[in-house]
Amino acid sequence: MDTEVLVVGAGPTGLLLACELALAGVRVRVVDKRTTPHRESRALNLHPRSIELMDMRGLAGRFLAAGRTVPGWQFAVSLKRRLDFTALDTRHPYALLLAQVRSEALLAERARELGVEVHRGYEAVAVGQDAHGAEVGLSGPGGPVTIRSSYVVGCDGGRSRVRQAAGIRFPGTRESMSAVVGDFAVADHACNERARQHGVLVARLETGLTRFVVMDPRRIRTPSSEPVTLEEFRTSLRQVCGTDCGIGEPRWLSRFGNATRLAETYRRGRVLLAGDAAHIHFPVGAQGLNTGLQDAMNLGWKLAAAVRGWAPPGLLDTYHAERHPVGHAVTAGTRAQTLLVELPLTEQYGLPASLLCELLDTLLGMSEVNRYLAGRISALDTVYPPSSPDADPLTGRRMPDLDLTTAAGPARVYELLRDGRFVLLHFGEGTGGPERSSHTRAVTAHRHGARSDLDGVSAVLVRPDGHIAWATRTTDPRALRAERAEALLMWTGSRSG
Ligand SMILES: Cc1cc2nc3c(=O)[nH]c(=O)nc-3n(C[C@H](O)[C@H](O)[C@H](O)COP(=O)(O)OP(=O)(O)OC[C@H]3O[C@@H](n4cnc5c(N)ncnc54)[C@H](O)[C@@H]3O)c2cc1C
């Protein structure tokens, strides 16, 4: 196969990106150095925005059927109160407990359906580029091979070889603290509540295993490179909560640290980065995998447009412009959250950290505080910078999944996004959009339900990733046509979309 985009890494980010590219008709290949998928799950959940993204591609049903929803998630394990996602304005106001292996399996299934080839056992060892394409040197089962493509995307995790080979710096803070994680088939669930009260994260996985994450004050300075033994895990549990929670033989033990880094750029020429290759942080608030999926969704259609030759000037650069600030917010936010976890574990500051946690628990009980933090952690409040200063205030925000009546019958906005094209929505009669276009689906619709943010909005252009590219409140047909043509030109490279 002649490869247009090579994706390095078949983790969740690489798989979703490959799906998005294939959906847009790009010839994409994925390589991964592992010969088999991971058997252990680092991440445990999907947050509301990630579930919305799956909904936009018709996959939410599969994901929801495979996991279990819970009303919220921890902001920091040292706080008694959890974020309450039920307060959020979404059709999916919950976290989905779903082990990473299962999310990856579902994405791999989708990739297969879209004809994506995943080549396992191929490790990227070198990356080069020139004006016309990129070249990746791979070490494979049959020896070295080179793949040439128009673009290469490093989705190869925190130690990304692609990032290093492209000379992209990865500044940030070194590891200063670590925690241990263990999955067990046997545990005494009567201890769960007690363990939680002592700041241990306990989660019963849908795989039947029980996950413990422990931060033992005497062990948090242990380098994450040092292996964990069952004896250490038991001792730490006893030390922290007075019982070893009846754990049996582990299925998985690991240690992870709080090194926090953000790539200086998400694009260098024909090399791009997404997911952990672009940002790493302590997994507090459960945001790493979710942020990677959102990177992939932002990049997929833009890269497809560049490969297919219809990308307006600068479109591909909006990937860095939009996602790097998100990476910055997530890495900075997790450092603050990690401090909340670390403070109660250490005496070195001589501060009554529990008072700070009590104060924050009180604040989290306030609906506005919950709404703000839950909006950030769920990524529902991610807003991309507007393309012009006089753009409608909706520009860059996520499009809500409105119930509509269209000429073809009832539909939800997210259902209209299934094929990964722009959706041009006209509310009301007489303002209809272009009849035929390659990248845009034009729909005239009546919307249901009152929403003050959409009051007076007569047309909206929704991007393939569900963010609003353009909105107008004009009802003058000539002005609307002129504005619409300009917006379509800016986003799709053609006045008719
Ligand atoms: C203990 C723990 C708990 C976590 N919990 C959560 C959570 O609840 N929610 C959440 O959102 N996130 C969580 N995370 C973070 C989450 O696991 C990561 O953010 C996520 O796996 C990133 O996905 P990715 O696809 O970008 O990278 P990865 O999952 O790291 O995938 C990278 C892939 O690239 C391959 N690869 C690497 N180098 C090469 C190479 N040179 N050539 C070819 N292939 C290569 C690897 O084999 C791998 O398959 C947690 C992390 C930890 C450590």
Side-chain angles (χ1 to χ4, degrees):
M1 180 179 87
D2 175 19
T3 306
E4 291 175 316
V5 176
L6 180 70
V7 174
V8 180
T13 307
L15 288 170
L16 180 61
L17 177 64
C19 291
E20 286 298 292
L21 290 164
L23 184 66
V26 172
R27 293 189 297 276
V28 56
R29 231 185 249 253
V30 183
V31 290
D32 197 291
K33 67 179 179 183
R34 290 178 59 92
T35 50
T36 54
H38 285 271
R39 291 175 57 199
E40 304 84 20
S41 289
R42 282 169 288 158
L44 293 188
N45 70 344
L46 293 188
H47 281 330
R49 184 57 176 165
S50 301
I51 307 170
E52 285 192 346
L53 299 184
M54 298 307 139
D55 199 352
M56 286 171 206
R57 298 296 183 257
L59 301 172
R62 293 187 203 184
F63 277 80
L64 290 169
R68 177 166 60 89
T69 59
V70 290
W73 199 252
Q74 268 129 350
F75 183 68
V77 279
S78 47
L79 303 184
K80 293 192 174 59
R81 207 180 277 273
R82 287 179 168 218
L83 295 170
D84 176 12
F85 290 161
T86 64
L88 298 173
D89 170 26
T90 170
R91 224 175 264 277
H92 302 290
Y94 35 69
L96 176 65
L97 272 182
L98 184 66
Q100 184 164 340
V101 285
R102 295 216 168 158
S103 295
E104 288 180 13
L106 288 171
L107 291 169
E109 177 184 272
R110 159 87 165 168
R112 268 193 307 279
E113 288 164 7
L114 290 165
V116 174
E117 290 179 38
V118 178
H119 303 268
R120 294 201 160 271
Y122 289 86
E123 177 172 4
V125 290
V127 180
Q129 60 173 313
D130 55 34
H132 309 289
E135 229 165 52
V136 175
L138 298 160
S139 149
V145 264
T146 300
I147 295 186
R148 192 169 169 86
S149 53
S150 300
Y151 291 90
V152 54
V153 189
C155 301
D156 49 343
R159 295 195 173 88
S160 171
R161 185 64 76 86
V162 174
R163 184 186 66 232
Q164 290 162 24
I168 298 175
R169 290 192 327 115
F170 201 36
T173 52
R174 286 165 193 267
E175 175 180 305
S176 61
M177 187 182 91
S178 68
V180 288
V181 55
D183 288 347
F184 300 88
V186 178
D188 177 4
H189 295 300
C191 302
N192 289 1
E193 213 31 61
R194 178 172 177 178
R196 286 192 187 112
Q197 276 164 10
H198 287 87
V200 173
L201 186 147
V202 188
R204 294 179 74 168
L205 312 185
E206 75 284 357
T207 52
L209 300 176
T210 304
R211 157 81 44 103
F212 292 87
V213 178
V214 190
M215 275 161 278
D216 174 353
R218 297 167 321 143
R219 304 285 302 159
I220 56 171
R221 305 297 172 217
T222 311
S224 59
S225 52
E226 195 174 295
V228 193
T229 63
L230 176 58
E231 200 38 51
E232 178 195 346
F233 207 93
R234 279 214 168 97
T235 309
S236 284
L237 270 174
R238 280 195 211 105
Q239 178 73 21
V240 171
C241 46
T243 160
D244 71 3
C245 301
I247 53 172
E249 278 302 307
R251 290 292 171 83
W252 182 50
L253 287 179
S254 183
R255 197 186 313 270
F256 56 95
N258 66 337
T260 303
R261 297 182 180 277
L262 178 65
E264 64 179 338
T265 178
Y266 283 18
R267 177 182 180 196
R268 176 146 298 155
R270 292 180 173 273
V271 180
L272 296 114
L273 301 175
D276 275 20
H279 39 73
I280 55 162
H281 52 77
F282 202 58
V284 57
Q287 296 163 86
L289 181 151
N290 285 280
T291 309
L293 293 179
Q294 291 145 27
D295 289 344
M297 198 76 170
N298 184 293
L299 176 58
W301 61 276
K302 295 174 181 174
L303 190 52
V307 170
R308 294 265 76 98
W310 61 264
L315 180 69
L316 191 51
D317 285 325
T318 66
Y319 170 59
H320 169 87
E322 293 180 346
R323 294 303 300 173
H324 193 266
V326 172
H328 184 269
V330 171
T331 48
T334 53
R335 285 186 68 199
Q337 290 169 267
T338 308
L339 206 53
L340 278 176
V341 175
E342 185 178 3
L343 274 175
L345 299 175
T346 168
E347 298 297 314
Q348 66 173 302
Y349 302 96
L351 294 170
S354 59
L355 294 180
L356 181 65
C357 292
E358 274 170 35
L359 174 67
L360 282 161
D361 266 318
T362 308
L363 288 174
L364 264 182
M366 296 177 181
S367 58
E368 291 217 352
V369 175
N370 174 67
R371 175 68 195 73
Y372 172 75
L373 292 175
R376 273 183 69 160
I377 301 296
S378 65
L380 290 181
D381 282 358
T382 299
V383 179
Y384 297 138
S387 39
S388 81
D390 53 355
D392 189 276
L394 288 174
T395 313
R397 295 180 181 278
R398 93 187 214 286
M399 181 69 191
D401 186 20
L402 305 176
D403 285 310
L404 306 170
T405 301
T406 71
R412 295 189 286 119
V413 173
Y414 290 4
E415 287 169 346
L416 300 175
L417 285 163
R418 297 257 154 108
D419 60 6
R421 289 192 295 162
F422 282 86
V423 172
L424 178 58
L425 272 174
H426 292 92
F427 299 118
E429 301 302 323
T431 50
E435 299 285 300
R436 298 175 55 202
S437 70
S438 342
H439 316 306
T440 309
R441 167 192 288 220
V443 178
T444 300
H446 173 73
R447 64 170 190 266
H448 302 279
R451 292 191 60 108
S452 56
D453 53 343
L454 288 168
D455 273 355
V457 172
S458 49
V460 182
L461 180 64
V462 186
R463 304 173 1 166
D465 58 7
H467 280 259
I468 295 172
W470 162 80
T472 185
R473 293 169 203 253
T474 186
T475 46
D476 171 30
R478 274 180 61 181
L480 194 150
R481 271 198 297 278
E483 266 192 53
R484 180 178 69 206
E486 202 182 313
L488 286 170
L489 183 65
M490 170 185 286
W491 285 99
T492 70
S494 127
R495 285 180 185 280
S496 59

